[in-house]
Amino acid sequence: MFAILLSAVAVALLCVYLINEFRRPPNYPPGPAWLPVVGNTPYIRQLARQYGGQHKAFEVLGKSYGSDVIGLKLGREYVVVALNYAAVSEVHRNDVFAGRPDNFFIRLRTMGTRLGVTCTDGPFWAEHRSFVTRHLRQAGYGRQPMQVQIQNELNELVDIIRGAQERPLWPASILSISVINVLWTFVTGSRIPRDDDRLRRLLKLLQDRSKAFDMSGGVLSQLPWLRFLAPDWSGYNLLRRFNVELNEFFATTITQHHRDFSEEKATEDLIYAYIKEMHDRRDDPQSTFTDRQLTMIILDIFIAGGQTTSTTLDLAFMMMIVRPDIQARVRREIDGALRPDELPQQADRSQLPYTEAFLLEVQRFFHIVPVSGPRRTLADCSLGGYRVPKDTTVLIGLKTVHMDPRYWGDPEQFRPERFLGAAGGHADRLMFFGIGKRRCLGETLARSCLFTFFVGVMQKFDLLRPTPADGEPSVEPPSIVLNPGITLSAKPYKVVFRPRY
């Protein structure tokens, strides 16, 4: 009798568990039914493989369910995806969506902690974001010292391109270090030498990380137990190796700053300013200013500055050989506005409206961050007329906003003219850097680097498709279909930089 009762209880508990696993919250956004434990993870991964990325899977679901807000369950997490301008704007602007998820991937990304700026929220996030913003400005971020540093890196970049002596090269292979060094100087007070093997390893790991995961954290976030069964396939070993190398890379710099610290140096760079804050708060047992948090802040800056700007530049140079007509128009405008020996700067944007429109169109057309976030709801709320429970992860579909035919008319056409003249107001529809309180800290740097490096290189070089040597097959044009990942990137291609003078 006891065995029968125990079996009945077990069956009842199993039924309750399964009902709870399959149940959708009341008025939850439409989406596919999910399975126990794994949720929609296998289905989303299948769609991503079939259509070419997680963002494409979300687009397919949006069309299938006739909704611009879709509801999923990935692993154990409720996940809602915003796919139109109204919903995306609401997520950006409403404080109820300002949280960050607290899951396995987020904690592994920050070396087992929940520190830094990017992956935190609440008063802790507000305090440290304010500190970083204030002290970067003190060191010249967003002002003339930053522009001078960008121009210095531009000069080195031009020298490297000249040194190639018109041999075909892939721009992406030389751009990342130029971009990182601008911000690195404000953070640490010095540049990273281009021949530093540690930096090259880190950039390679950063690229591998981008390809291995998506904005929801990938299978490692949704099914973290897979790290025990498939540590390589799940990306677990990759992230651990990335963390170890980053920590070693940063630790040397932080230790040196501690050793050389004096009050007078507190305005020289971000690390010295942070160490001063640590000294000022050393008697406060509640202080959150620690070496560990400093490491995580540098990690956030490194990840944020390590790819997106250099990838956008890479795509801009690629379009110069895909569309030689646009290259000719860009060059005529630059030649008419700047002297050959004049270094470009952000203030020249107003004199180069077509070039600026071209760069905006590169960002809109390629949407290298097709899905941003992730956010976490801080209370029960609504989005697009649907109910979203507290602690739901919210992903922001930027590609669907930037390619919405209802607004853009011909979004699949690469047309810089859409940002010129009266149509220039379209720029307000672009959300590369987010909007609201969580707007990207590096926006000023990214915009200035993108404009200055692009114009500076176009001043000095004609960009040409390589010609095949005798007996070799013809050189295929670059593909405008990008590689998927957390950020999208161009497939490797080659370009010849021919000096103009």
Side-chain angles (χ1 to χ4, degrees):
M1 178 63 75
F2 178 75
I4 294 174
L5 180 61
L6 192 61
S7 297
V9 170
V11 169
L13 289 175
L14 178 61
C15 289
V16 170
Y17 169 77
L18 290 175
I19 290 171
N20 188 60
E21 281 290 298
F22 284 111
R23 179 183 63 86
R24 297 179 77 85
N27 196 30
Y28 194 61
W34 50 67
L35 299 171
V37 182
V38 297
N40 297 121
T41 295
Y43 183 50
I44 297 299
R45 290 181 65 80
Q46 174 194 328
L47 289 178
R49 285 193 299 271
Q50 181 178 351
Y51 291 99
Q54 186 193 63
H55 62 292
K56 296 286 187 68
F58 294 153
E59 288 178 52
V60 168
L61 291 176
K63 291 175 182 175
S64 298
Y65 289 91
S67 176
D68 290 316
V69 180
I70 59 173
L72 307 167
K73 193 175 186 184
L74 299 180
R76 309 293 300 180
E77 284 185 77
Y78 289 126
V79 176
V80 166
V81 188
L83 293 171
N84 71 349
Y85 180 75
V88 165
S89 294
E90 177 72 7
V91 173
H92 275 129
R93 298 179 192 278
N94 193 330
D95 286 350
V96 77
F97 297 102
R100 289 291 195 200
D102 185 6
N103 56 35
F104 180 81
F105 177 79
I106 291 291
R107 287 188 174 267
L108 184 59
R109 176 216 182 276
T110 53
M111 304 182 190
T113 70
R114 197 163 183 260
L115 297 175
V117 176
T118 302
C119 295
T120 57
D121 51 40
F124 179 92
W125 165 78
E127 179 181 37
H128 285 272
R129 179 186 170 93
S130 174
F131 174 87
V132 172
T133 303
R134 185 170 66 253
H135 286 282
L136 282 177
R137 281 190 191 133
Q138 250 185 24
Y141 184 80
R143 295 185 286 111
Q144 189 60 24
M146 184 183 80
Q147 189 61 64
V148 170
Q149 182 61 29
I150 294 172
Q151 290 172 334
N152 289 339
E153 294 298 331
L154 168 63
N155 286 332
E156 184 192 63
L157 181 64
V158 166
D159 288 344
I160 288 169
I161 295 174
R162 287 193 189 281
Q165 298 180 333
E166 300 187 46
R167 291 189 301 272
L169 58 83
W170 182 22
S173 66
I174 59 175
L175 291 169
S176 293
I177 295 176
S178 297
V179 175
I180 283 176
N181 261 327
V182 179
L183 190 50
W184 198 252
T185 301
F186 289 106
V187 173
T188 69
S190 60
R191 300 177 69 257
I192 309 171
R194 279 187 173 265
D195 58 358
D196 190 317
D197 287 338
R198 297 172 305 160
L199 178 60
R200 294 188 177 278
R201 287 199 308 271
L202 286 176
L203 289 173
K204 177 64 167 60
L205 285 170
L206 198 59
Q207 292 167 358
D208 292 344
R209 170 188 174 274
S210 175
K211 295 174 185 175
F213 297 97
D214 50 48
M215 194 52 72
S216 64
V219 68
L220 187 59
S221 177
Q222 297 146 29
L223 309 173
W225 44 268
L226 281 176
R227 69 189 187 277
F228 300 116
L229 304 177
D232 284 325
W233 177 80
S234 67
Y236 178 68
N237 283 346
L238 169 65
L239 274 185
R240 283 179 58 87
R241 190 165 69 253
F242 183 60
N243 287 345
V244 167
E245 296 219 17
L246 275 174
N247 200 35
E248 290 176 355
F249 190 69
F250 300 154
T252 302
T253 300
I254 292 172
T255 300
Q256 184 67 44
H257 274 69
H258 272 295
R259 187 161 47 241
D260 298 340
F261 175 76
S262 67
E263 291 284 333
E264 294 74 27
K265 293 184 176 182
T267 58
E268 289 184 9
D269 61 51
L270 181 66
I271 296 180
Y272 279 135
Y274 198 94
I275 291 172
K276 180 181 185 304
E277 195 73 14
M278 290 172 63
H279 286 195
D280 292 345
R281 298 178 182 229
R282 57 179 170 265
D283 296 327
D284 178 7
Q286 303 300 316
S287 174
T288 57
F289 284 74
T290 64
D291 276 340
R292 188 74 163 171
Q293 168 63 358
L294 174 56
T295 301
M296 293 303 102
I297 288 173
I298 300 174
L299 169 67
D300 285 342
I301 291 171
F302 187 90
I303 290 176
Q307 278 190 303
T308 52
T309 303
S310 56
T311 298
T312 304
L313 273 167
D314 185 41
L315 291 166
F317 291 136
M318 184 183 83
M319 289 307 293
M320 291 289 93
I321 56 175
V322 171
R323 293 288 302 273
D325 57 320
I326 293 179
Q327 178 177 178
R329 185 168 174 180
V330 164
R331 176 158 294 105
R332 284 197 303 271
E333 183 178 71
I334 293 173
D335 288 348
L338 301 176
R339 300 186 310 274
D341 61 344
E342 184 178 0
L343 285 173
Q345 56 183 325
Q346 183 75 340
D348 297 323
R349 287 170 58 191
S350 60
Q351 299 181 64
L352 301 170
Y354 184 79
T355 303
E356 177 70 5
F358 165 75
L359 293 173
L360 288 175
E361 182 69 345
V362 168
Q363 294 169 87
R364 182 203 68 83
F365 185 82
F366 288 109
H367 42 263
I368 62 170
V369 182
V371 178
S372 71
R375 301 291 185 88
R376 175 176 60 88
T377 53
L378 302 177
D380 289 352
C381 58
S382 63
L383 185 64
Y386 299 103
R387 179 180 176 273
V388 182
K390 180 183 178 183
D391 291 327
T392 295
T393 295
V394 180
L395 300 178
I396 303 168
L398 297 183
K399 189 236 177 180
T400 46
V401 171
H402 296 154
M403 299 293 282
D404 185 352
R406 294 168 294 186
Y407 180 81
W408 299 101
D410 58 349
E412 299 293 338
Q413 297 296 316
F414 187 90
R415 192 166 58 83
E417 291 80 4
R418 72 177 78 246
F419 295 108
L420 290 175
H426 286 319
D428 293 340
R429 195 84 172 196
L430 303 176
M431 300 180 176
F432 320 127
F433 301 101
I435 50 179
K437 292 181 179 178
R438 279 199 174 271
R439 195 177 188 104
C440 177
L441 267 174
E443 177 179 356
T444 302
L445 173 81
R447 289 186 184 279
S448 194
C449 279
L450 182 59
F451 180 84
T452 306
F453 286 148
F454 178 75
V455 173
V457 170
M458 295 304 297
Q459 268 185 305
K460 304 290 193 300
F461 302 95
D462 289 318
L463 276 62
L464 309 170
R465 278 177 56 187
T467 54
D470 291 341
E472 291 185 0
S474 61
V475 179
E476 292 295 320
S479 172
I480 62 172
V481 178
L482 306 186
N483 291 320
I486 293 181
T487 56
L488 309 186
S489 57
K491 295 177 173 63
Y493 68 96
K494 294 291 181 68
V495 59
V496 171
F497 290 88
R498 187 175 67 194
R500 300 182 65 209
Y501 46 83

